[in-house]
Amino acid sequence: MDPWELVEEEIRSCRRCPLHAYRRNAVPGEGRRDAELVFIGEAPGRVEDETGRPFVGAAGKLLTSLIEGMGLRREDVYITNIVKCRPPNNRDPEPGEIEACIPYLKRQLNMIRPRVVVALGRHAARTLFEAAGLRWRSMARDHGRPVEAELWGVRVTLYPTYHPAAALYNPKLRESLEKDFEKLAKLLGSRRRTGTLLDYL
Ligand code: URA
């Protein structure tokens, strides 16, 4: 079986943590399987659970418009989450749930081998910083600052920013998020000029 089909099938039928009991659909992720740029959120919400697709609710609409604001399309990037099943009432994922789910992300990143990984929100950022052996401080301090990181054998630029859901009703955070995406576009553009980023912008 194709390794992508295999990992997606394993995610859809996964019972490694208690979240499987609550889900309607697991949400493996979607987008280009050779994307240079990957977005990683926290966990599916209600609409994602209903559709099996990542970031398709209100926060997803904002994420999509931020991606388009960089001159890209959603289909040009890969979008997934740290945890692939919706926690009940959208509570934060628990450490054991993250631990059970992270091997899927590890496999996905090793197949995609992106150059830039954007961590959306503090849960994704903390998990990815820790996986890379880096010290996570806080979103207020570290958002919009690219760091070089090795995630499960894949060398990437890790870029933390606010979660779009947090920015929906907070104009200050939204402004920060928009600025971070402007910086991200520049980062991608400068990487392209140095010949390390292939087909963006
Ligand atoms: N929030 C997330 O973190 N991920 C989604 O897929 C949707 C909302």
Side-chain angles (χ1 to χ4, degrees), residues 10-188:
E10 281 180 43
I11 292 169
R12 290 201 179 94
S13 56
C14 182
R15 297 165 71 93
R16 287 188 199 170
C17 89
L19 293 182
H20 78 269
Y22 304 96
R23 72 173 175 233
R24 282 175 68 178
N25 291 289
V27 182
E30 69 180 24
R32 271 185 79 136
R33 293 172 173 182
D34 62 348
E36 299 279 346
L37 177 59
V38 170
F39 290 89
I40 303 179
E42 177 181 330
R46 184 178 54 81
V47 190
E48 291 77 20
D49 177 65
E50 279 166 12
T51 56
R53 296 181 57 208
F55 280 100
V56 288
K61 290 206 169 67
L62 177 54
L63 176 63
T64 303
S65 79
L66 289 163
I67 291 169
E68 288 171 356
M70 294 193 295
L72 298 173
R73 296 165 308 167
R74 236 181 109 97
E75 311 86 86
D76 295 327
V77 305
Y78 193 84
I79 305 175
T80 188
N81 286 296
I82 296 284
V83 163
K84 315 299 195 200
C85 294
R86 181 192 184 203
N89 304 314
N90 296 345
R91 67 157 168 73
D92 292 344
E94 288 178 2
E97 293 159 356
I98 295 176
E99 200 183 317
C101 212
I102 216 76
Y104 296 126
L105 184 63
K106 176 178 170 179
R107 283 161 67 185
Q108 289 172 315
L109 284 183
N110 267 279
M111 289 192 286
I112 302 169
R113 305 196 79 81
R115 303 232 179 247
V116 179
V117 169
V118 179
L120 296 167
R122 64 197 160 94
H123 295 288
R126 193 191 313 113
T127 303
L128 295 173
F129 268 60
E130 282 173 7
L134 299 169
R135 193 164 77 89
W136 172 248
R137 296 182 303 173
S138 67
M139 198 50 94
R141 283 172 152 193
D142 288 336
H143 76 94
R145 292 170 183 262
V147 291
E148 297 309 310
E150 188 173 322
L151 285 171
W152 305 293
V154 186
R155 293 195 58 79
V156 299
T157 299
L158 181 56
Y159 190 79
T161 189
Y162 291 100
H163 195 290
L168 279 178
Y169 306 104
N170 183 328
K172 279 219 158 62
L173 285 193
R174 182 159 176 153
E175 204 179 301
S176 295
L177 184 62
E178 283 170 358
K179 285 210 179 108
D180 285 354
F181 269 74
E182 281 167 26
K183 277 197 193 164
L184 177 60
K186 288 199 185 114
L187 179 78
L188 296 170

